[in-house]
Amino acid sequence: MKIKGVIFDLDGTLYDNTKLAGKVVVSNIFNLRLLAAERLAHLKMSGRFYGDRTFDEILKRISMKTGIGLYQVKRWYLKVFMPSQVSALRNNFKAKNWAVPILGELRSKGVKTACFSEYICVNDKLEAIGIDPALFDVVIDAPSAGGLKPCRRAFEAVAEKMGLAPSEILVVGDREDTDGAGAEASGMSFLLVPKKDSGDPGIL
């Protein structure tokens, strides 16, 4: 079947995120307990469907692991953790050379596109690396889709927002265990791209 839509992962796919984790750690040097708890919550929740409770579940697990109240956890997540990612991207990272041209070419061919990121603040992160979010038909984060990758129902939710059947969609990502596994589980095609900007990944 002809591909009518392409879902792009963000981190590691549209830009090389190899050094992002280190920069986020430096920005959260006084919040390492929270940072470690966030990573653990993410790993434990991967692939499971939580629906509209997904984001709250992340915060609850961080709170339970650290003993820090939900209000403080949410404030850290929204006011420190995510802004530290956006700031690091704006100051140190840029989109891969092929990203914007391919998005434009896909649109010219009538192919729908989505950016499906594991983390919130997708628009801010796209703008930080030099990509206009308006180049995508759909911009969505995993918590809003109902589950962290490779949750099948989350991938299906993205397909629904694109107005396409899963079989009509190609997923482009840098990880087989998240992007690839989610694509396979939901009946989508998958293209693995390297983190390094190695030129045209062969989407078209």
Side-chain angles (χ1 to χ4, degrees), residues 79-109:
K79 300 295 185 181
V80 180
F81 177 54
M82 289 311 306
S84 72
Q85 288 194 32
V86 174
S87 178
L89 292 183
R90 185 177 295 114
N91 295 326
N92 303 281
F93 298 84
K94 64 178 182 178
K96 292 177 180 177
N97 292 328
W98 56 261
V100 172
I102 283 181
L103 287 168
E105 192 164 350
L106 288 170
R107 173 158 290 185
S108 72
K109 293 178 180 296

Side-chain angles (χ1 to χ4, degrees), residues 63-137:
S63 177
M64 290 176 63
K65 184 66 177 178
T66 60
I68 298 173
L70 271 173
Y71 174 82
Q72 290 90 340
V73 168
K74 186 174 184 177
R75 181 175 177 81
W76 166 77
Y77 199 102
L78 297 177
K79 300 295 185 181
V80 180
F81 177 54
M82 289 311 306
S84 72
Q85 288 194 32
V86 174
S87 178
L89 292 183
R90 185 177 295 114
N91 295 326
N92 303 281
F93 298 84
K94 64 178 182 178
K96 292 177 180 177
N97 292 328
W98 56 261
V100 172
I102 283 181
L103 287 168
E105 192 164 350
L106 288 170
R107 173 158 290 185
S108 72
K109 293 178 180 296
V111 177
K112 292 184 178 181
T113 57
C115 182
F116 179 31
S117 176
E118 193 78 333
Y119 287 93
I120 64 172
C121 300
V122 191
N123 286 325
D124 292 338
K125 293 177 74 173
L126 284 169
E127 290 173 349
I129 60 172
I131 298 179
D132 183 354
L135 289 173
F136 296 94
D137 296 287

Side-chain angles (χ1 to χ4, degrees), residues 161-173:
K161 284 187 173 293
M162 297 174 78
L164 298 172
S167 60
E168 298 174 318
I169 294 174
L170 170 69
V171 175
V172 179

Side-chain angles (χ1 to χ4, degrees), residues 8-11 38-39 42-43 45-47 54-55 58 77 82 85 115-122 125 140-144 147-151 154-155 175 178-179:
F8 290 89
D9 168 54
L10 174 54
D11 299 305
E38 187 280 331
R39 181 87 301 251
H42 215 86
L43 291 171
M45 292 175 62
S46 292
T54 306
F55 185 62
I58 293 171
Y77 199 102
M82 289 311 306
Q85 288 194 32
C115 182
F116 179 31
S117 176
E118 193 78 333
Y119 287 93
I120 64 172
C121 300
V122 191
K125 293 177 74 173
I140 187 170
D141 57 80
S144 296
L148 304 184
K149 298 177 183 179
C151 177
F155 277 80
R175 292 182 56 177
T178 54
D179 307 308

